[in-house]
Amino acid sequence: MHFTSTFVALLAVVPSMISAAPARFYGKRATAAVDVVVYKFADVLEQLESSFYQQALAKFQASDFENAGFSSSQLAIEQINTIFSDESTHSSVLQAALRSFGEEPITNCKFNFDSALTDVATMAATARVVEAVGVGAYLGAAHLISDPVLLTAAGSILTVEARHQTILNILSSTGTAIPNAFDLALSPSEVLALAGPFFDGACDISTLGLTANPALSVTNTGSIGPGTSLSFSSPAITSANDTSTFFCQMMVGDQSLSINLPFDNCVVPEGINGPVAIYITSDQQPLLNNVRDRATSQLVAGPVMAFIDTAPQALGQLARGGSSGSSSSSSSSSGSTPSTDSGSSTDSGSSTDSGSSTDSSSSTDNSSQTVSTTTISPAQASSIIASASATASQASATGSPSTSSPSAPAPGTPGGPNTATGPSDSGAITVNGWTNL
Ligand SMILES: *[C@@H]1O[C@H](CO)[C@@H](O)[C@H](O)[C@H]1NC(C)=O
Ligand SMILES: *[C@@H]1O[C@H](CO)[C@@H](O)[C@H](O)[C@H]1NC(C)=O
């Protein structure tokens, strides 16, 4: 098979790039225990990802992709093949690295993606969340890795996961290819809350000493966009709890603090675009974007990951031409867009239908007839947000993490590093000494 040969060829070459390095650097010295845990954890996540794509590719035919509204099935399948191949390679290389440390990788985990593989639209929406979790997992583990060589190797995987994310944003048709200037980092406990529902039975990931946060899912069945009041379910939230004392906390990449709202009035604000990690806490204190110092003591459940698509782009509409062109135009009219949150897809296939219904060949827009979604006006949402948290609205107004304001002049500004020239007579374009012919 095509994959097998590609895979074997990569196996022969790539492990020497990563696994040989630690051996050379350390000889017999033990790798730090925490680095081993991070690599084992990362490998299991890679196994989850590659298993997901393998099952998706085995299940869906070209016609399924065409029926889901892709302008060309080849366009989608080509990309998913590449992503699958990358994830398989990541796992193989991480395992080879672990063995070079004298450690055995965890290989007994099984995964169940039945709820996510009901149709191509649900699969594509879930893949988008899977990659967001992958990016968040590597980013959130970076500060835990003690060895610079292992940190750099993990970073070289992270950048590729981010490319997958971009491709899947484009394939979603309503997504923005690159929605934010900053990505979300997730702690291992947060990653396990998100990925946990896909694990099928016991596996040795439990031996790593990581604690999963209680899982959280969004139970809305209709489109989710600005003005949507979110409802949730979690094993950690029962009728015994007084939810009037709980808060929902929406974390987006570009803000230094979460937007916090009363649990019973968790309304998606204007101005959000792209992935949002939503947590439930038992106090009103906004959560820090900074994953290392993010408070966990008042966490009740989550996060759950949702994509709030408010700025569909031409690139996505190119990928999802044909019948879904009409759904794109309907979503761009109001910013009300299909829900692609992982909570619904992991917990029940039924609540992920919003993605598939808008992508189905029927162009009837039923989004205004959604069942358990309360829609209020953006102005009402804004006033709720303003009264619920002055701090958070301040943070959202600045739109960038206070901790990362760059002091160097930006490229292209006076004093900035950009020395680009226009095309020369030969057609070459030179930027900072790099020439693109
Ligand atoms: C929710 O209720 C359960 C059951 O009574 C309780 O154990 C738990 O502490 C409550 N959670 C919070 C955050 O109050
Ligand atoms: C939209 O609602 C109408 C009337 O309830 C129904 O007949 C139709 O099947 C629905 N379309 C979709 C795509 O769900």
Side-chain angles (χ1 to χ4, degrees):
M1 280 173 51
H2 174 71
F3 291 128
T4 314
S5 57
T6 311
F7 188 55
V8 168
L10 282 165
L11 263 184
V13 177
V14 181
S16 64
M17 293 165 55
I18 292 178
S19 64
R24 204 178 325 129
F25 277 80
Y26 294 104
K28 298 271 181 241
R29 208 177 93 193
T31 307
V34 64
D35 293 356
V36 170
V37 168
V38 169
Y39 265 46
K40 285 186 175 181
F41 184 55
D43 170 43
V44 172
L45 293 178
E46 296 289 353
Q47 292 175 43
L48 183 153
E49 292 178 323
S50 62
S51 168
F52 174 76
Y53 294 111
Q54 185 174 39
Q55 290 182 33
L57 288 163
K59 172 156 185 178
F60 298 117
Q61 311 301 312
S63 58
D64 296 319
F65 284 88
E66 277 149 22
N67 292 338
F70 283 100
S71 48
S72 135
S73 59
Q74 187 198 352
L75 181 150
I77 292 170
E78 201 169 67
Q79 296 303 319
I80 292 172
N81 274 336
T82 302
I83 296 173
F84 166 61
S85 171
D86 287 345
E87 311 298 16
S88 301
T89 305
H90 291 163
S91 173
S92 304
V93 169
L94 289 166
Q95 292 191 7
L98 283 162
R99 291 199 175 96
S100 80
F101 312 152
E103 297 284 340
E104 262 312 296
I106 295 168
T107 54
N108 66 347
C109 304
K110 294 191 172 52
F111 310 100
N112 184 326
F113 300 108
D114 288 351
S115 63
L117 297 177
T118 50
D119 54 86
V120 164
T122 305
M123 180 275 291
T126 306
R128 213 175 160 203
V129 173
V130 162
E131 296 300 329
V133 173
V135 168
Y138 279 96
L139 195 53
H143 74 95
L144 300 170
I145 298 176
S146 60
D147 182 286
V149 173
L150 300 185
L151 175 59
T152 306
S156 73
I157 295 179
L158 165 60
T159 54
V160 173
E161 302 290 347
R163 277 181 206 123
H164 298 166
Q165 175 76 91
T166 293
I167 291 291
L168 290 159
N169 286 343
I170 293 167
L171 294 185
S172 81
S173 90
T174 55
T176 305
I178 306 166
N180 295 297
F182 300 89
D183 277 320
L184 289 166
L186 300 167
S187 72
S189 298
E190 294 168 351
V191 170
L192 284 171
L194 286 156
F198 290 124
F199 283 84
D200 190 12
C203 83
D204 286 346
I205 199 169
S206 59
T207 63
L208 295 180
L210 305 170
T211 313
N213 288 350
L216 179 66
S217 54
V218 173
T219 55
N220 296 61
T221 54
S223 301
I224 293 179
T228 306
S229 178
L230 299 177
S231 46
F232 302 96
S233 84
S234 168
I237 304 172
T238 70
S239 54
N241 294 112
D242 177 9
T243 56
S244 71
T245 64
F246 289 177
F247 286 80
C248 85
Q249 310 265 2
M250 296 186 212
M251 189 81 75
V252 297
D254 286 1
Q255 297 182 13
S256 55
L257 296 170
S258 63
I259 299 160
N260 64 349
L261 294 165
F263 178 87
D264 297 323
N265 222 337
C266 185
V267 178
V268 177
E270 294 282 355
I272 284 184
N273 184 37
V276 185
I278 307 170
Y279 304 74
I280 305 301
T281 60
S282 59
D283 75 358
Q284 193 176 356
Q285 212 41 247
L287 297 173
L288 291 180
N289 191 316
N290 168 359
V291 69
R292 193 198 65 175
D293 302 331
R294 188 180 297 153
T296 55
S297 59
Q298 303 303 319
L299 183 90
V300 176
V304 60
M305 189 75 78
F307 277 87
I308 309 291
D309 292 333
T310 54
Q313 293 183 317
L315 201 48
Q317 284 161 31
L318 258 183
R320 293 286 269 271
S323 58
S324 79
S326 56
S327 78
S328 298
S329 59
S330 76
S331 63
S332 61
S333 62
S334 65
S336 156
T337 54
S339 155
T340 56
D341 67 273
S342 72
S344 8
S345 51
T346 56
D347 291 344
S348 69
S350 63
S351 55
T352 60
D353 294 343
S354 56
S356 52
S357 64
T358 51
D359 292 322
S360 73
S361 53
S362 162
S363 60
T364 312
D365 182 3
N366 283 9
S367 60
S368 59
Q369 304 168 12
T370 54
V371 194
S372 69
T373 303
T374 311
T375 301
I376 64 172
S377 73
Q380 284 173 295
S382 302
S383 92
I384 292 168
I385 293 155
S387 63
S389 171
T391 319
S393 43
Q394 250 174 340
S396 77
T398 65
S400 76
S402 58
T403 50
S404 62
S405 47
S407 52
T413 60
N418 196 334
T419 61
T421 65
S424 70
D425 289 347
S426 70
I429 298 173
T430 303
V431 179
N432 288 345
W434 292 80
T435 298
N436 304 282
L437 287 170

